[in-house]
mmCIF file of all heavy atoms in Angstrom:
data_model
loop_
_atom_site.group_PDB
_atom_site.id
_atom_site.type_symbol
_atom_site.label_atom_id
_atom_site.label_comp_id
_atom_site.label_asym_id
_atom_site.label_seq_id
_atom_site.Cartn_x
_atom_site.Cartn_y
_atom_site.Cartn_z
ATOM 1 N N LEU I 1 17.245 -131.495 97.604
ATOM 2 C CA LEU I 1 16.797 -132.888 97.722
ATOM 3 C C LEU I 1 17.880 -133.804 98.120
ATOM 4 O O LEU I 1 17.612 -134.763 98.865
ATOM 5 C CB LEU I 1 16.218 -133.288 96.329
ATOM 6 C CG LEU I 1 14.899 -132.581 95.947
ATOM 7 C CD1 LEU I 1 14.512 -132.975 94.561
ATOM 8 C CD2 LEU I 1 13.754 -132.895 96.846
ATOM 9 N N ASN I 2 19.113 -133.502 97.684
ATOM 10 C CA ASN I 2 20.226 -134.347 98.156
ATOM 11 C C ASN I 2 20.456 -134.269 99.641
ATOM 12 O O ASN I 2 20.942 -135.184 100.258
ATOM 13 C CB ASN I 2 21.523 -133.966 97.467
ATOM 14 C CG ASN I 2 21.698 -134.617 96.153
ATOM 15 O OD1 ASN I 2 21.329 -135.753 95.899
ATOM 16 N ND2 ASN I 2 22.230 -133.962 95.106
ATOM 17 N N GLU I 3 20.107 -133.118 100.250
ATOM 18 C CA GLU I 3 20.364 -132.937 101.714
ATOM 19 C C GLU I 3 19.239 -133.555 102.576
ATOM 20 O O GLU I 3 19.373 -133.655 103.784
ATOM 21 C CB GLU I 3 20.401 -131.452 101.979
ATOM 22 C CG GLU I 3 21.759 -130.850 101.504
ATOM 23 C CD GLU I 3 21.733 -129.359 101.566
ATOM 24 O OE1 GLU I 3 20.733 -128.781 102.107
ATOM 25 O OE2 GLU I 3 22.707 -128.731 101.165
ATOM 26 N N ILE I 4 18.180 -134.067 101.979
ATOM 27 C CA ILE I 4 17.150 -134.722 102.687
ATOM 28 C C ILE I 4 17.533 -136.186 102.785
ATOM 29 O O ILE I 4 17.639 -136.925 101.874
ATOM 30 C CB ILE I 4 15.786 -134.645 101.956
ATOM 31 C CG1 ILE I 4 15.268 -133.247 101.877
ATOM 32 C CG2 ILE I 4 14.709 -135.549 102.688
ATOM 33 C CD1 ILE I 4 13.891 -133.132 101.067
ATOM 34 N N MET I 5 17.945 -136.557 104.139
ATOM 35 C CA MET I 5 18.306 -137.964 104.284
ATOM 36 C C MET I 5 17.131 -138.830 104.858
ATOM 37 O O MET I 5 17.151 -140.023 104.761
ATOM 38 C CB MET I 5 19.483 -137.988 105.363
ATOM 39 C CG MET I 5 20.706 -137.146 104.838
ATOM 40 S SD MET I 5 21.286 -137.582 103.189
ATOM 41 C CE MET I 5 21.745 -139.320 103.429
ATOM 42 N N SER I 6 16.198 -138.147 105.453
ATOM 43 C CA SER I 6 14.997 -138.748 105.936
ATOM 44 C C SER I 6 13.894 -137.801 105.953
ATOM 45 O O SER I 6 14.045 -136.585 106.053
ATOM 46 C CB SER I 6 15.127 -139.457 107.343
ATOM 47 O OG SER I 6 15.166 -138.439 108.320
ATOM 48 N N LEU I 7 12.618 -138.328 105.769
ATOM 49 C CA LEU I 7 11.454 -137.468 105.707
ATOM 50 C C LEU I 7 10.276 -138.164 106.317
ATOM 51 O O LEU I 7 10.077 -139.341 105.978
ATOM 52 C CB LEU I 7 11.208 -137.010 104.342
ATOM 53 C CG LEU I 7 10.138 -135.950 104.061
ATOM 54 C CD1 LEU I 7 10.471 -135.098 102.767
ATOM 55 C CD2 LEU I 7 8.769 -136.510 103.997
ATOM 56 N N GLN I 8 9.558 -137.586 107.176
ATOM 57 C CA GLN I 8 8.306 -138.067 107.674
ATOM 58 C C GLN I 8 7.174 -137.024 107.431
ATOM 59 O O GLN I 8 7.440 -135.803 107.583
ATOM 60 C CB GLN I 8 8.302 -138.342 109.162
ATOM 61 C CG GLN I 8 9.440 -139.185 109.646
ATOM 62 C CD GLN I 8 9.504 -139.249 111.165
ATOM 63 O OE1 GLN I 8 8.600 -139.694 111.830
ATOM 64 N NE2 GLN I 8 10.692 -138.820 111.731
ATOM 65 N N ALA I 9 6.017 -137.446 107.003
ATOM 66 C CA ALA I 9 5.006 -136.499 106.683
ATOM 67 C C ALA I 9 3.638 -137.191 106.512
ATOM 68 O O ALA I 9 3.575 -138.451 106.322
ATOM 69 C CB ALA I 9 5.258 -135.761 105.429
ATOM 70 N N SER I 10 2.559 -136.417 106.704
ATOM 71 C CA SER I 10 1.211 -136.918 106.213
ATOM 72 C C SER I 10 1.093 -136.454 104.783
ATOM 73 O O SER I 10 1.747 -135.491 104.308
ATOM 74 C CB SER I 10 0.131 -136.366 107.085
ATOM 75 O OG SER I 10 0.167 -134.967 107.094
ATOM 76 N N PHE I 11 0.227 -137.149 104.043
ATOM 77 C CA PHE I 11 0.070 -136.670 102.593
ATOM 78 C C PHE I 11 -1.415 -136.791 102.239
ATOM 79 O O PHE I 11 -2.259 -137.552 102.783
ATOM 80 C CB PHE I 11 0.872 -137.522 101.633
ATOM 81 C CG PHE I 11 0.410 -138.956 101.439
ATOM 82 C CD1 PHE I 11 -0.573 -139.149 100.419
ATOM 83 C CD2 PHE I 11 0.827 -139.910 102.195
ATOM 84 C CE1 PHE I 11 -1.026 -140.440 100.106
ATOM 85 C CE2 PHE I 11 0.341 -141.245 101.908
ATOM 86 C CZ PHE I 11 -0.635 -141.516 100.923
ATOM 87 N N GLU I 12 -1.731 -136.022 101.231
ATOM 88 C CA GLU I 12 -3.017 -136.063 100.483
ATOM 89 C C GLU I 12 -2.841 -136.222 99.071
ATOM 90 O O GLU I 12 -1.991 -135.422 98.519
ATOM 91 C CB GLU I 12 -3.962 -134.884 100.857
ATOM 92 C CG GLU I 12 -4.350 -134.728 102.359
ATOM 93 C CD GLU I 12 -5.289 -133.584 102.536
ATOM 94 O OE1 GLU I 12 -5.335 -132.659 101.694
ATOM 95 O OE2 GLU I 12 -5.866 -133.511 103.585
ATOM 96 N N GLN I 13 -3.415 -137.098 98.331
ATOM 97 C CA GLN I 13 -3.284 -137.285 96.958
ATOM 98 C C GLN I 13 -4.560 -137.026 96.256
ATOM 99 O O GLN I 13 -5.621 -137.598 96.610
ATOM 100 C CB GLN I 13 -2.786 -138.611 96.605
ATOM 101 C CG GLN I 13 -2.664 -138.904 95.152
ATOM 102 C CD GLN I 13 -2.314 -140.342 94.757
ATOM 103 O OE1 GLN I 13 -1.122 -140.721 94.875
ATOM 104 N NE2 GLN I 13 -3.257 -141.110 94.445
ATOM 105 N N ARG I 14 -4.522 -136.201 95.288
ATOM 106 C CA ARG I 14 -5.769 -135.858 94.435
ATOM 107 C C ARG I 14 -5.485 -136.147 92.967
ATOM 108 O O ARG I 14 -4.421 -135.709 92.487
ATOM 109 C CB ARG I 14 -6.316 -134.459 94.656
ATOM 110 C CG ARG I 14 -6.791 -134.270 96.096
ATOM 111 C CD ARG I 14 -7.096 -132.770 96.292
ATOM 112 N NE ARG I 14 -7.747 -132.490 97.651
ATOM 113 C CZ ARG I 14 -6.990 -132.380 98.745
ATOM 114 N NH1 ARG I 14 -5.656 -132.345 98.700
ATOM 115 N NH2 ARG I 14 -7.560 -132.115 99.895
ATOM 116 N N ILE I 15 -6.348 -136.799 92.324
ATOM 117 C CA ILE I 15 -6.200 -137.005 90.919
ATOM 118 C C ILE I 15 -7.263 -136.282 90.155
ATOM 119 O O ILE I 15 -8.542 -136.354 90.499
ATOM 120 C CB ILE I 15 -6.243 -138.519 90.571
ATOM 121 C CG1 ILE I 15 -5.218 -139.280 91.234
ATOM 122 C CG2 ILE I 15 -6.194 -138.752 89.038
ATOM 123 C CD1 ILE I 15 -5.244 -140.757 91.110
ATOM 124 N N PHE I 16 -6.912 -135.476 89.165
ATOM 125 C CA PHE I 16 -7.825 -134.574 88.458
ATOM 126 C C PHE I 16 -7.930 -135.002 87.006
ATOM 127 O O PHE I 16 -7.019 -135.409 86.390
ATOM 128 C CB PHE I 16 -7.344 -133.069 88.551
ATOM 129 C CG PHE I 16 -7.314 -132.533 89.920
ATOM 130 C CD1 PHE I 16 -6.226 -132.633 90.761
ATOM 131 C CD2 PHE I 16 -8.516 -131.932 90.463
ATOM 132 C CE1 PHE I 16 -6.253 -132.124 92.053
ATOM 133 C CE2 PHE I 16 -8.506 -131.451 91.733
ATOM 134 C CZ PHE I 16 -7.368 -131.508 92.535
ATOM 135 N N SER I 17 -9.080 -134.841 86.413
ATOM 136 C CA SER I 17 -9.307 -135.086 85.008
ATOM 137 C C SER I 17 -8.641 -133.973 84.159
ATOM 138 O O SER I 17 -8.323 -132.914 84.760
ATOM 139 C CB SER I 17 -10.785 -135.120 84.702
ATOM 140 O OG SER I 17 -11.390 -133.797 84.816
ATOM 141 N N PRO I 18 -8.562 -134.105 82.883
ATOM 142 C CA PRO I 18 -8.075 -133.004 82.058
ATOM 143 C C PRO I 18 -8.930 -131.685 82.208
ATOM 144 O O PRO I 18 -8.382 -130.608 81.988
ATOM 145 C CB PRO I 18 -8.207 -133.622 80.569
ATOM 146 C CG PRO I 18 -8.097 -135.022 80.834
ATOM 147 C CD PRO I 18 -8.752 -135.325 82.020
ATOM 148 N N GLU I 19 -10.208 -131.843 82.555
ATOM 149 C CA GLU I 19 -11.041 -130.615 82.834
ATOM 150 C C GLU I 19 -10.920 -130.128 84.237
ATOM 151 O O GLU I 19 -11.635 -129.294 84.657
ATOM 152 C CB GLU I 19 -12.469 -131.015 82.576
ATOM 153 C CG GLU I 19 -12.804 -131.439 81.040
ATOM 154 C CD GLU I 19 -12.294 -132.795 80.713
ATOM 155 O OE1 GLU I 19 -12.311 -133.659 81.570
ATOM 156 O OE2 GLU I 19 -11.861 -132.989 79.491
ATOM 157 N N ASN I 20 -9.924 -130.724 85.037
ATOM 158 C CA ASN I 20 -9.691 -130.325 86.396
ATOM 159 C C ASN I 20 -10.792 -130.768 87.279
ATOM 160 O O ASN I 20 -10.901 -130.134 88.478
ATOM 161 C CB ASN I 20 -9.399 -128.884 86.483
ATOM 162 C CG ASN I 20 -8.407 -128.563 87.653
ATOM 163 O OD1 ASN I 20 -7.553 -129.266 87.922
ATOM 164 N ND2 ASN I 20 -8.701 -127.400 88.387
ATOM 165 N N ASP I 21 -11.513 -131.773 87.015
ATOM 166 C CA ASP I 21 -12.551 -132.334 87.962
ATOM 167 C C ASP I 21 -11.867 -133.346 88.850
ATOM 168 O O ASP I 21 -11.090 -134.164 88.314
ATOM 169 C CB ASP I 21 -13.678 -133.000 87.155
ATOM 170 C CG ASP I 21 -14.498 -131.947 86.324
ATOM 171 O OD1 ASP I 21 -14.685 -130.883 86.856
ATOM 172 O OD2 ASP I 21 -14.881 -132.392 85.239
ATOM 173 N N LEU I 22 -12.148 -133.297 90.138
ATOM 174 C CA LEU I 22 -11.593 -134.310 91.004
ATOM 175 C C LEU I 22 -12.119 -135.670 90.763
ATOM 176 O O LEU I 22 -13.343 -135.887 90.822
ATOM 177 C CB LEU I 22 -11.861 -133.850 92.481
ATOM 178 C CG LEU I 22 -11.259 -134.827 93.593
ATOM 179 C CD1 LEU I 22 -9.737 -134.829 93.594
ATOM 180 C CD2 LEU I 22 -11.786 -134.391 94.959
ATOM 181 N N ILE I 23 -11.299 -136.697 90.500
ATOM 182 C CA ILE I 23 -11.775 -138.024 90.203
ATOM 183 C C ILE I 23 -11.342 -139.032 91.207
ATOM 184 O O ILE I 23 -11.933 -140.150 91.290
ATOM 185 C CB ILE I 23 -11.366 -138.429 88.790
ATOM 186 C CG1 ILE I 23 -9.879 -138.445 88.533
ATOM 187 C CG2 ILE I 23 -12.092 -137.594 87.787
ATOM 188 C CD1 ILE I 23 -9.422 -138.885 87.232
ATOM 189 N N ASP I 24 -10.363 -138.712 92.096
ATOM 190 C CA ASP I 24 -9.945 -139.683 93.119
ATOM 191 C C ASP I 24 -9.286 -138.860 94.225
ATOM 192 O O ASP I 24 -8.553 -137.916 93.894
ATOM 193 C CB ASP I 24 -9.080 -140.688 92.529
ATOM 194 C CG ASP I 24 -8.748 -141.900 93.478
ATOM 195 O OD1 ASP I 24 -9.807 -142.316 94.070
ATOM 196 O OD2 ASP I 24 -7.618 -142.272 93.646
ATOM 197 N N TYR I 25 -9.423 -139.398 95.458
ATOM 198 C CA TYR I 25 -8.766 -138.717 96.582
ATOM 199 C C TYR I 25 -8.316 -139.836 97.518
ATOM 200 O O TYR I 25 -8.939 -140.821 97.736
ATOM 201 C CB TYR I 25 -9.713 -137.813 97.348
ATOM 202 C CG TYR I 25 -9.208 -137.304 98.665
ATOM 203 C CD1 TYR I 25 -8.347 -136.202 98.789
ATOM 204 C CD2 TYR I 25 -9.460 -138.021 99.959
ATOM 205 C CE1 TYR I 25 -7.770 -135.782 99.959
ATOM 206 C CE2 TYR I 25 -8.981 -137.585 101.084
ATOM 207 C CZ TYR I 25 -8.092 -136.513 101.097
ATOM 208 O OH TYR I 25 -7.601 -136.018 102.314
#
């Protein structure tokens, strides 16, 4: 992580309930 001076990327974020149900994307 220290060697990463810059980073470009696309991302996907998923939020799951305690039962592992998808609740937000």
Side-chain angles (χ1 to χ4, degrees):
L1 292 173
N2 272 326
E3 289 171 1
I4 296 177
M5 302 310 297
S6 73
L7 189 153
Q8 305 173 61
S10 59
F11 75 88
E12 294 182 344
Q13 176 186 281
R14 293 173 175 85
I15 300 175
F16 296 92
S17 71
E19 296 74 32
N20 208 37
D21 296 322
L22 180 65
I23 57 178
D24 190 46
Y25 171 84

